[in-house]
Amino acid sequence: MKNLTPHDIVVSVGNTEHVFVKSGEVARVSVTDVVIGHEDGIEIVVSNFGDVVGVPEVGGEKFLVSAMVLGALGVEYRGQAFAPDTGSTAIRNDMGHIKAVTRLKTV
C-alpha cells in the first residue's frame, strides 16, 4: 500500500508490525482560512476545505493518507483510501506520542 503521508506509518497487529514507509509523495487537501472575528486581539478563523491533490484515481492502487485528506475524499474511495486510526486504540509512548496504530480507517 502506497503511503502518501510525510511519515512512516506503523500498524501493530498481535506480535506483527507492518511498516508503511513514506513514498516521498504527499497527498494534500487545499485549505482557505477566512477570518471571522477577533478575541483579545487574536484572529479567529474558519477553514474551508477544497480539492484533494496527489491521490490515485478511483479504482487504482490502495493508499494511506492523513485523516484530514481521508475526510475530504468521497465514498467512492472506500476500501482504497485509508488513514491511521489515532484514537483510543493507538499505541503511545510515555510522552503520549503515537508509536503505532492497531487499525486503519476508510471513508
Side-chain angles (χ1 to χ4, degrees):
M1 189 175 332
K2 190 171 192 175
N3 181 352
L4 298 175
T5 75
H7 314 283
D8 293 349
I9 294 175
V10 179
V11 181
S12 181
V13 180
N15 293 327
T16 303
E17 283 192 344
H18 304 272
V19 179
F20 297 93
V21 178
K22 60 186 177 184
S23 68
E25 300 171 45
V26 179
R28 302 269 185 211
V29 59
S30 64
V31 180
T32 304
D33 292 331
V34 178
V35 177
I36 61 165
H38 292 82
E39 185 68 35
D40 294 327
I42 303 167
E43 283 188 349
I44 307 298
V45 301
V46 289
S47 297
N48 297 314
F49 299 99
D51 296 331
V52 174
V53 295
V55 298
E57 292 183 22
V58 173
E61 67 183 310
K62 293 181 179 185
F63 57 94
L64 289 162
V65 292
S66 69
M68 181 181 287
V69 171
L70 186 70
L73 292 173
V75 294
E76 64 272 16
Y77 278 100
R78 181 166 291 157
Q80 180 184 356
F82 304 91
D85 184 349
T86 58
S88 63
T89 61
I91 300 167
R92 298 176 182 273
N93 65 18
D94 58 353
M95 299 287 291
H97 302 135
I98 294 174
K99 293 175 30 179
V101 297
T102 60
R103 57 191 190 180
L104 300 174
K105 298 190 290 188
T106 192
V107 286

